Amino acid sequence: MSTINYSEKIPNNVNLGEDRTLQRALEGWQPNFINWWDDVGPEGSTNHDVYLRTAVSVDPQGWAQFGHVKMRDYRWGIFLNPGDANREIHFGDHKGEKVWQDVPGEHRANLRRIIVTQGDTEPASVEQQRHLGLTAPSMYDLRNLFQINVEEGRHLWAMVYLLQKHFGRDGREEADALLQRTSGDANNPRILGAFNEKTPDWLAFFMFTYFTDRDGKFQLAALAESAFDPLARTTKFMLTEEAHHMFVGESGVSRVLARTAQVMNELKTDDAQKIRAAGCIDLPTIQRYLNFHYSVTIDLFGADQSSNAAIFYSSGLKGRYEEGKRTDDHILKGQTYKVLEVKDGQLVEKDVPMLNALNEVLRDDFIKDSVAGVGRWNKVLEKAGIPTRLTVPHKAFNRQIGALAGIKMSPEGRVVNEVEWAAKKNEWLPSSEDFAFVASLMGRVVEPGKFAGWISPPVMGINRQPVDFEYVRFG
Amino acid sequence: MDMAVEAGVIKQHLIDPEICIRCNTCEATCPVNAITHDDNNYVVRADICNGCMACISPCPTGSIDNWRTMPLVRAYSIEEQLTWESLPAELSPEELEAAGVSADAGEEIAAAAAPVPAQAQTTAAEPVFNSAQYGATVPPWSAAHAYTNLFPPKTPTTATVVGNFNCTEAGFESETHHIVLDFGVVPFPVLEGQSIGIVPPGVDAIGKRHHARQYSVASPRNGERPGYNNVSLTVKRVTEDHQGDPVRGVCSNYVCDLKVGDTVQVVGPFGASFLMPNHPKSHIVMICTGTGSAPMRAMTEWRRRLRKSGKFEGGKLMLFFGARTQQELPYFGPLQSLPKDFIDINLAFSRTPGSPKRYVQDLMRERAADLAALLKDGASHFYVCGLKSMEEGVVLALRDVATEAGLDWDTVGAALKREGRLHLETY
């Protein structure tokens, strides 16, 4: 592995071929990465030729090259969006100053923490999804899973590059640790809670890619505003790939809904048991999965009041979503934001300093984006003439982080007592019986153009290929 | 392909709101900032989009690849698009006609479309024929690598006019100019089939800078004058609108009136798939109307130079070229002087007094035996450039030629697309 020609094997626009120090660091890390991929990457996929989209450069023609490749041979590139020599910090206390090309000493620890936290989520989701290939509902879906897996792998490379290039020995150690933690490991788990949850079935996978990868979009978008220019440029490029992950989730759930609606119309019933008996996932179960993934994901934004968030913003490390499009002063001192708390058994809003509430600001942006997509899911039901509508639960429902942690709430936002929670929990969140039922539908369908009975075919194929294209060639 | 805009018709780029997931990839990718969004939809600004296709392959959903032929005056505004829940249907030929489109774009547009309804009648029970689905999005395997977007609209480069002459017969209403632009020492590599954008000076009626108009390059890769850093364009002067009322095409008149020594702002190059094959056994079938001849001239001239140098074994060249009259056909004179054993030329004139109207697809059917042989040969490449309305007639003619020769069009058509051997550039 040490004789790799990095400029060819690892497409990059960071002059890797001429940076001896970085090359040596990557030469040490790369075999460990491949070992990690072989050990906990997609199970049983080593010999498949997968129709993957591979980035070979950051220009529009270069970053979406399609072809059949083995995942292990995927070109895990290191790409930064093109730089702008005149770019200025556009928020926080350093507003108007030139952006940083190197890590300022005073922000070193915070930046490292931000990058490590982001980096930790990338291999985690690969680990969470490693068994899903064995129960893919179609070859098309299998390919999409694998595409997500390799891109998460590349995003890990992107973060590891920043650590090794800009954080010296600390960075190398953190890069190694990213391959040592494992999702769900009792002794050495991944950093964030949602990334230690199981992704046991494809409905969970679609919900995860819809909600949790959307968290990724918002976190990356906030980092793409950073005053640390290499981080901003790296995350900007990652965002272009993250889009596919959200697409898999959004279209996946849409297709599940379309199939369920079709069967409901055929059988002329909305009885969940009859729908289940027909081999489809009933709408209440889909709603419970939604409630779970939504609530777990919004915890990822952190505590509703956070002095770290204020520090990250004021020091220019992490902006808001679409910071550049906002019309306020981009400093936010003396401004307030409404957060929720429980007072006398009731949810109330209170004003807190805006800077301390930036996690909540980002969470609210995410919620708006998520709700719009749930609206698009409902259009599928509407079109099929089904009156049921999916909804996102209240922001305070099933929260484990922040002021709302541990408070028992109904999905509508009513504070409930332990007794009611215990009685209704299985109406609101997926039960072990739900998981068992969904798992029972997960049989493997991988003949080109064929789909499992609980999901509709997609509207169109990938890269304008037909739906029955041979997306995966089994070795 | 600015003619399309100036003739009052555009191929409007739209995003399907039912499939789009609002991920922002297209907006982040678009090199000319033509894409914007609100909380509801992502939309494309018709007056900025130059059809460069940079957004197409990065889109994870495929929702971005939607196009509608629209009269310019009725182009969907962004405000309108932002409210959509689904894409509007394509305007019917009658609606287009009511908007003055077919009347205006000359006889060819109405007439080239004429065989289509006839075909539609005979195949009424079949699904609608979608000619665009056969167009390749990949270049031929032996094409040279194309550079694109070296000069995006925000940072155009400057070229100097070193030649400008009328390449149709003087005195006819359809005046088409051959313009040569020199880039001096600025790198501007182009291949046959690519296009460049010209930014007309000044501002439009609402005080906004004019957007660039795209024109296909008419010269081969080593320059209009071999060994010089120059390109040529074929530009038709637009002097009347679809109703025949006088109107001045913003960019075509500017370009046609340029004098030697003038400088122009240029963006591009654009296009990475409508490229010619380079391997010596490859055959090229070119089907065009009017200034759609520009890329065909470029490819023909490159083959002519290769042949002259003795470096080419000689795949076949076949040209189907339509115009209203011989006098309006660009490059008629030079075409006549090409050796018959070099290129097989078929000219269709739709308005020669005393002669029946003839369109390119009529000639293709007459030459069915030769086209069938080429369709059977995996080294054949087909290029169609000209008015949108000719596209369907031409592809249908190819389908019929294939079927009559005992070939399965679905197989042949799919292979042509997959292998980058059928390219449609219509507007």
Side-chain angles (χ1 to χ4, degrees):
Chain A
M1 291 294 171
S2 60
T3 55
I4 277 177
N5 178 344
Y6 278 89
S7 56
E8 278 183 20
K9 180 84 177 173
I10 303 172
N12 70 87
N13 63 353
V14 296
N15 229 352
L16 193 54
E18 288 170 24
D19 188 338
R20 289 294 304 149
T21 316
L22 181 59
Q23 266 197 45
R24 270 197 299 274
L26 278 171
E27 280 167 5
W29 186 81
Q30 201 258 5
N32 294 334
F33 169 80
I34 292 293
N35 288 342
W36 166 82
W37 181 265
D38 288 346
D39 289 347
V40 287
E43 190 178 343
S45 66
T46 315
N47 289 323
H48 305 343
D49 286 314
V50 186
Y51 187 69
L52 293 178
R53 180 183 71 176
T54 308
V56 295
S57 68
V58 294
D59 55 282
Q61 283 80 28
W63 84 264
Q65 300 279 321
F66 287 85
H68 282 93
V69 286
K70 291 201 174 12
M71 282 195 284
R72 210 170 183 270
D73 299 335
Y74 175 79
R75 310 217 298 166
W76 322 91
I78 298 172
F79 292 111
L80 276 60
N81 255 33
D84 170 4
N86 300 317
R87 184 170 172 253
E88 289 176 356
I89 301 171
H90 57 296
F91 63 92
D93 298 343
H94 300 286
K95 190 168 166 243
E97 297 170 17
K98 267 274 179 75
V99 292
W100 318 315
Q101 297 306 326
D102 295 303
V103 181
E106 68 270 35
H107 303 311
R108 188 181 168 86
N110 280 337
L111 265 173
R112 192 181 60 206
R113 179 168 161 196
I114 288 172
I115 293 168
V116 166
T117 307
Q118 180 64 43
D120 192 72
T121 66
E122 313 290 358
S125 55
V126 179
E127 291 160 358
Q128 288 172 298
Q129 295 157 13
R130 71 173 307 239
H131 301 298
L132 287 174
L134 305 177
T135 56
S138 74
M139 178 182 269
Y140 165 90
D141 289 292
L142 184 64
R143 177 264 165 201
N144 282 344
L145 166 74
F146 288 161
Q147 178 72 48
I148 289 175
N149 291 162
V150 292
E151 285 177 355
E152 299 292 8
R154 204 199 69 74
H155 293 178
L156 171 63
W157 275 78
M159 293 296 107
V160 162
Y161 159 75
L162 290 177
L163 289 170
Q164 296 193 334
K165 169 81 181 167
H166 295 279
F167 293 88
R169 175 197 286 258
D170 295 358
R172 290 195 294 278
E173 285 171 2
E174 294 285 14
D176 288 341
L178 287 171
L179 296 175
Q180 287 154 12
R181 287 185 288 272
T182 310
S183 176
D185 186 323
N187 299 319
N188 197 7
R190 292 292 172 186
I191 295 170
L192 300 172
F195 291 91
N196 291 302
E197 299 281 355
K198 283 193 165 55
T199 309
D201 57 63
W202 278 76
L203 182 59
F205 171 63
F206 291 142
M207 290 291 179
F208 181 96
T209 42
Y210 180 80
F211 287 113
T212 311
D213 283 308
R214 190 174 305 270
D215 159 74
K217 164 185 167 179
F218 281 83
Q219 300 293 356
L220 291 173
L223 295 177
E225 309 284 344
S226 181
F228 178 42
D229 204 38
L231 176 62
R233 290 166 57 204
T234 306
T235 44
K236 217 168 182 96
F237 189 71
M238 288 164 71
L239 273 169
T240 56
E241 291 171 327
E242 201 71 21
H244 177 259
H245 311 184
M246 293 189 300
F247 157 69
V248 169
E250 179 161 338
S251 60
V253 175
S254 275
R255 289 163 51 214
V256 175
L257 290 170
R259 177 67 185 144
T260 301
Q262 186 191 356
V263 169
M264 286 171 76
N265 283 331
E266 280 168 11
L267 301 180
K268 297 193 175 24
T269 182
D270 56 3
D271 182 327
Q273 290 313 319
K274 286 183 183 160
I275 300 302
R276 285 187 172 200
C280 279
I281 307 175
D282 53 289
L283 296 179
T285 301
I286 295 172
Q287 178 69 60
R288 286 193 285 273
Y289 267 65
L290 187 162
N291 290 351
F292 174 74
H293 284 274
Y294 174 82
S295 56
V296 167
T297 301
I298 60 174
D299 266 345
L300 286 171
F301 290 88
D304 37 12
Q305 289 191 64
S306 159
S307 55
N308 274 336
I311 292 166
F312 291 171
Y313 186 85
S314 291
S315 52
L317 307 186
K318 182 178 177 182
R320 287 171 294 174
Y321 175 64
E322 297 194 321
E323 182 73 47
K325 291 189 181 169
R326 299 184 189 232
T327 52
D328 53 28
D329 68 356
H330 303 280
I331 293 170
L332 309 179
K333 293 207 160 89
Q335 298 182 35
T336 59
Y337 196 77
K338 290 193 187 316
V339 300
L340 289 175
E341 66 174 3
V342 173
K343 216 169 186 181
D344 306 325
Q346 294 289 318
L347 269 182
V348 292
E349 284 186 331
K350 67 165 178 177
D351 284 320
V352 301
M354 171 82 87
L355 279 171
N356 288 69
L358 285 173
N359 286 344
E360 196 69 7
V361 172
L362 195 58
R363 182 167 18 244
D364 285 343
D365 289 331
F366 165 89
I367 287 174
K368 199 164 135 198
D369 204 48
S370 293
V371 169
V374 173
R376 294 192 289 277
W377 286 342
N378 281 331
K379 291 225 168 73
V380 175
L381 297 174
E382 194 181 323
K383 251 183 155 176
I386 305 286
T388 310
R389 296 290 174 266
L390 300 175
T391 52
V392 299
H394 194 276
K395 189 159 82 171
F397 172 75
N398 191 36
R399 294 288 301 279
Q400 315 298 330
I401 285 177
L404 302 168
I407 291 168
K408 298 288 182 265
M409 280 277 163
S410 72
E412 302 79 39
R414 181 172 48 84
V415 180
V416 297
N417 58 32
E418 291 284 352
V419 177
E420 186 175 355
W421 174 262
K424 298 272 184 64
K425 190 174 167 226
N426 287 350
E427 267 176 45
W428 295 336
L429 289 168
S431 63
S432 51
E433 191 247 324
D434 289 335
F435 285 124
F437 166 69
V438 175
S440 75
L441 295 180
M442 300 291 125
R444 194 169 198 238
V445 179
V446 285
E447 196 183 325
K450 294 270 187 295
F451 290 82
W454 53 272
I455 190 166
S456 293
V459 182
M460 61 179 78
I462 294 294
N463 191 31
R464 286 176 285 187
Q465 295 290 2
V467 169
D468 62 358
F469 182 71
E470 197 177 18
Y471 290 102
V472 181
R473 295 176 185 148
F474 298 104
Chain B
M1 296 302 140
D2 179 48
M3 283 186 317
V5 175
E6 293 191 319
V9 193
I10 58 165
K11 200 167 155 187
Q12 186 169 6
H13 185 190
L14 300 170
I15 299 174
D16 187 338
E18 286 187 286
I19 302 176
C20 170
I21 60 161
R22 285 76 172 166
C23 66
N24 205 56
T25 307
C26 54
E27 191 174 319
T29 310
C30 177
V32 294
N33 296 325
I35 299 177
T36 184
H37 72 274
D38 67 358
D39 289 341
N40 194 40
N41 279 346
Y42 273 73
V43 297
V44 186
R45 294 185 175 102
D47 56 335
I48 299 179
C49 175
N50 60 11
C52 74
M53 311 294 271
C55 56
I56 301 294
S57 59
C59 169
T61 68
S63 62
I64 191 96
D65 197 9
N66 282 286
W67 307 84
R68 292 284 184 275
T69 303
M70 293 296 292
L72 181 57
V73 290
R74 283 185 53 190
Y76 299 113
S77 66
I78 53 166
E79 291 75 18
E80 204 174 351
Q81 295 176 56
L82 286 169
T83 65
W84 283 352
E85 292 192 357
S86 58
L87 273 186
E90 182 84 70
L91 291 188
S92 66
E94 293 74 28
E95 286 173 303
L96 283 169
E97 189 148 4
V101 168
S102 54
D104 130 49
E107 270 292 290
E108 287 144 20
I109 210 163
V116 176
Q119 191 72 31
Q121 279 169 9
T122 58
T123 58
E126 292 176 19
V128 179
F129 183 77
N130 174 12
S131 55
Q133 69 172 302
Y134 297 103
T137 54
V138 291
W141 66 264
S142 63
H145 172 75
Y147 290 88
T148 56
N149 285 311
L150 293 175
F151 295 94
K154 277 187 184 158
T155 52
T157 187
T158 304
T160 308
V161 178
V162 291
N164 183 353
F165 63 87
N166 184 354
C167 60
T168 44
E169 200 165 312
F172 282 81
E173 52 184 295
S174 168
E175 176 188 333
T176 303
H177 279 241
H178 181 76
I179 291 115
V180 186
L181 300 175
D182 190 288
F183 291 93
V185 295
V186 177
F188 205 93
V190 290
L191 291 173
E192 307 78 15
Q194 285 195 288
S195 58
I196 67 171
I198 302 275
V199 189
V203 293
D204 63 16
I206 56 163
K208 261 177 62 183
R209 277 197 66 197
H210 287 303
H211 60 87
R213 263 65 166 190
Q214 252 175 282
Y215 299 96
S216 285
V217 170
S219 51
R221 62 191 73 186
N222 63 346
E224 175 67 20
R225 185 181 176 194
Y228 284 76
N229 189 15
N230 60 24
V231 301
S232 62
L233 306 175
T234 312
V235 180
K236 181 178 175 183
R237 187 192 291 280
V238 174
T239 54
E240 58 180 47
D241 68 11
H242 291 238
Q243 281 75 37
D245 299 326
V247 67
R248 285 183 63 81
V250 173
C251 199
S252 70
N253 280 284
Y254 162 67
V255 173
C256 288
D257 289 338
L258 286 168
K259 303 273 179 299
V260 170
D262 286 350
T263 57
V264 289
Q265 296 293 295
V266 177
V267 298
F270 302 115
S273 80
F274 194 106
L275 301 174
M276 65 184 290
N278 284 332
H279 71 290
K281 298 265 199 295
S282 55
H283 313 301
I284 304 180
V285 178
M286 301 172 277
I287 303 146
C288 62
T289 56
T291 53
S293 60
M296 314 313 184
R297 180 186 181 271
M299 292 196 267
T300 305
E301 180 60 12
W302 180 238
R303 280 281 161 100
R304 195 185 68 80
R305 289 182 194 177
L306 285 178
R307 189 188 201 229
K308 211 172 145 196
S309 72
K311 288 178 187 160
F312 204 76
E313 295 170 32
K316 291 191 182 68
L317 290 191
M318 198 170 187
L319 173 69
F320 294 90
F321 193 170
R324 291 196 289 191
T325 62
Q326 174 184 317
Q327 291 80 5
E328 289 184 14
L329 189 131
Y331 310 113
F332 181 75
L335 266 178
Q336 297 307 305
S337 62
L338 292 172
K340 294 279 177 290
D341 65 340
F342 167 64
I343 181 168
D344 182 347
I345 299 174
N346 302 268
L347 303 179
F349 299 115
S350 59
R351 252 198 235 169
T352 301
S355 297
K357 292 177 175 179
R358 308 223 314 154
Y359 303 103
V360 285
Q361 55 269 46
D362 299 335
L363 293 186
M364 291 171 68
R365 290 173 196 278
E366 285 175 19
R367 298 297 306 274
D370 298 284
L371 281 174
L374 287 166
L375 279 169
K376 286 176 184 167
D377 188 334
S380 303
H381 300 70
F382 297 80
Y383 296 83
V384 182
C385 187
L387 295 163
K388 177 76 185 167
S389 56
M390 75 182 275
E391 178 185 299
E392 191 168 28
V394 165
V395 180
L396 277 170
L398 279 178
R399 185 188 74 171
D400 293 347
V401 167
T403 309
E404 281 163 26
L407 299 171
D408 174 26
W409 171 248
D410 286 339
T411 310
V412 174
L416 288 173
K417 179 190 172 82
R418 185 178 64 244
E419 295 163 13
R421 296 197 289 116
L422 172 57
H423 292 273
L424 308 172
E425 178 82 48
T426 56
Y427 34 85

